[in-house]
Amino acid sequence: MARKEIEMAIEWAAKEGWNPGLHDAECYFAADPNGFLMGLLGEEPIATISAVKYGESFGFLGLYMVKPEYRGKGYGIQIWNAGMRYLEGRSIGLDGVVAQQDNYKKSGFKLAYRNFRYEGVGGGNSPANAEIIMLSAVPFEAIDSYDRPFFPANRSRFTQSWISQPDCHALGIRQNGKLAGYGVIRPCRSGYKIGPLCADSPQLAESLFLALKSRARPSAPVFLDVPEVNQAAVALAERHHMKVRFGTARMYTGGIPDIPLNRLFGITSFEIG
């Protein structure tokens, strides 16, 4: 896909109920300009997949869709195979919806853990905490270094685009003079999503969560995608009266990456990791 065609895939994702961010396409394109594939029947786009390369050894699949009227005709597997070929030789991750998980297993994917999308409401008061700062006040090298353990490969280009996208709020929190967590809240088709949300302790994560949530319109929906294995993250969502809307399975080919899930309180994106 060309850059403008990624908007089409985002629109399809919205129709599927995935609630993409208003500026996701630009950030996704920054991750890998060649990683978005479209299947055509004649001149008509009927299928999409994202197969984003990170570094030299990792990739992530997402935006895997076929137009409803063309499903069950073998077109999905064709674009799936094209995405897998593009990522050949790499360890690959994805967030699988329940209906597709058995098919992903047939392609060599193994379950790592489940994620749950929680929904709450925006607004509220931001904590009176001088250690919460605008992320723009932090050198990008420090942000990139902090983010590095939370992903299986380098994603610097994506991170730089993500934290500076229009209409978002990106905040950091310091401890002992060093960055000890950061998070982003961005506007979506419906409400807002917080992600990533990572911090060195549950207390720091909660302070960041409340500060980010306070940037959303009062009573607007706010979503947080939580790895189930981080029980402190689950407790944070439930303590603030958020409800589960659906779940995904984080799956990988090859080994499961060594990510500090106890410090990951919110997934960045189900679509590209």
Side-chain angles (χ1 to χ4, degrees), residues 19 24 27 35 55 72 74 101 108 115 131 169 181 189 200 221-222 237:
N19 193 26
D24 283 2
C27 300
Q101 285 168 24
N115 296 312
E131 296 302 307
H169 296 276
R189 298 299 180 93
D200 290 352
V222 169

Side-chain angles (χ1 to χ4, degrees), residues 73-188:
K73 300 178 185 296
Y75 298 124
I77 191 64
Q78 291 185 54
I79 199 157
W80 169 267
N81 289 339
M84 292 291 286
R85 283 194 300 272
Y86 181 68
L87 298 179
E88 189 172 1
R90 295 168 178 258
S91 176
I92 305 170
L94 58 76
D95 275 301
V97 297
V98 173
Q100 292 290 339
Q101 285 168 24
D102 286 343
N103 288 331
Y104 299 144
K105 289 177 182 177
K106 294 175 185 176
S107 293
F109 287 84
K110 297 178 181 178
L111 175 67
Y113 53 87
R114 294 189 300 172
N115 296 312
F116 290 120
R117 174 158 294 172
Y118 279 87
E119 179 182 351
V121 295
N125 297 319
S126 180
N129 187 339
E131 296 302 307
I132 295 176
I133 55 174
M134 299 294 291
L135 207 58
S136 57
V138 181
F140 179 72
E141 292 75 16
I143 301 165
D144 195 37
S145 177
Y146 185 84
D147 181 73
R148 185 63 189 86
F150 295 99
F151 202 71
N154 183 291
R155 60 173 179 178
S156 300
R157 288 183 303 180
F158 169 78
T159 300
Q160 195 155 32
S161 178
W162 192 256
I163 65 176
S164 58
Q165 64 182 284
D167 305 320
C168 83
H169 296 276
L171 302 177
I173 191 165
R174 295 176 299 197
Q175 192 173 50
N176 300 322
K178 294 183 177 180
L179 190 65
Y182 86 99
V184 176
I185 186 168
R186 73 192 198 280
C188 297

Side-chain angles (χ1 to χ4, degrees), residues 22-86:
L22 299 185
H23 304 287
D24 283 2
E26 188 66 35
C27 300
Y28 291 176
F29 188 71
D32 179 1
N34 299 312
F36 298 86
L37 310 180
M38 178 191 299
L40 301 174
L41 189 62
E43 298 295 319
E44 182 184 2
I46 67 163
T48 66
I49 197 167
S50 58
V52 173
K53 291 180 178 178
Y54 293 99
E56 298 300 320
S57 60
F58 185 67
F60 201 88
L61 288 170
L63 293 174
Y64 177 39
M65 294 172 286
V66 177
K67 275 187 175 181
E69 61 267 35
Y70 293 106
R71 292 173 186 172
K73 300 178 185 296
Y75 298 124
I77 191 64
Q78 291 185 54
I79 199 157
W80 169 267
N81 289 339
M84 292 291 286
R85 283 194 300 272
Y86 181 68

Side-chain angles (χ1 to χ4, degrees), residues 146 149-150 180 197-201 205 230 259-266:
Y146 185 84
F150 295 99
L197 177 62
C198 44
D200 290 352
S201 72
N230 185 342
I259 292 171
L261 292 168
N262 63 315
R263 296 195 289 129
L264 182 60
F265 293 81

